[in-house]
Amino acid sequence: MRNCETGIYVDGTSSAGIMFTRAHIEDCEKGVVVTSASTGPVQIDGCEISASDAAV
């Protein structure tokens, strides 16, 4: 993802969670946003994140 406001937006997960691997986020305002509705784990592995405001 390139030149966006938010690269990955997670608004709720199952109890098993979710995993992102090898994602490339470049020149975004926010790299990864996880809301309080996410009760399971959010795993980020091998990702490149370039964000101007907050990476995660």
Side-chain angles (χ1 to χ4, degrees):
M1 290 151 272
R2 199 175 282 172
N3 301 321
C4 56
E5 184 177 332
T6 302
I8 298 172
Y9 186 87
V10 181
D11 186 26
T13 58
S14 70
S15 60
I18 189 168
M19 176 181 272
F20 296 94
T21 61
R22 293 185 262 165
H24 183 81
I25 301 168
E26 183 179 338
D27 295 329
C28 294
E29 187 176 318
K30 298 178 179 111
V32 179
V33 173
V34 180
T35 70
S36 61
S38 299
T39 57
V42 176
Q43 300 177 61
I44 303 167
D45 181 57
C47 298
E48 295 180 28
I49 302 170
S50 169
S52 62
D53 185 27
V56 178

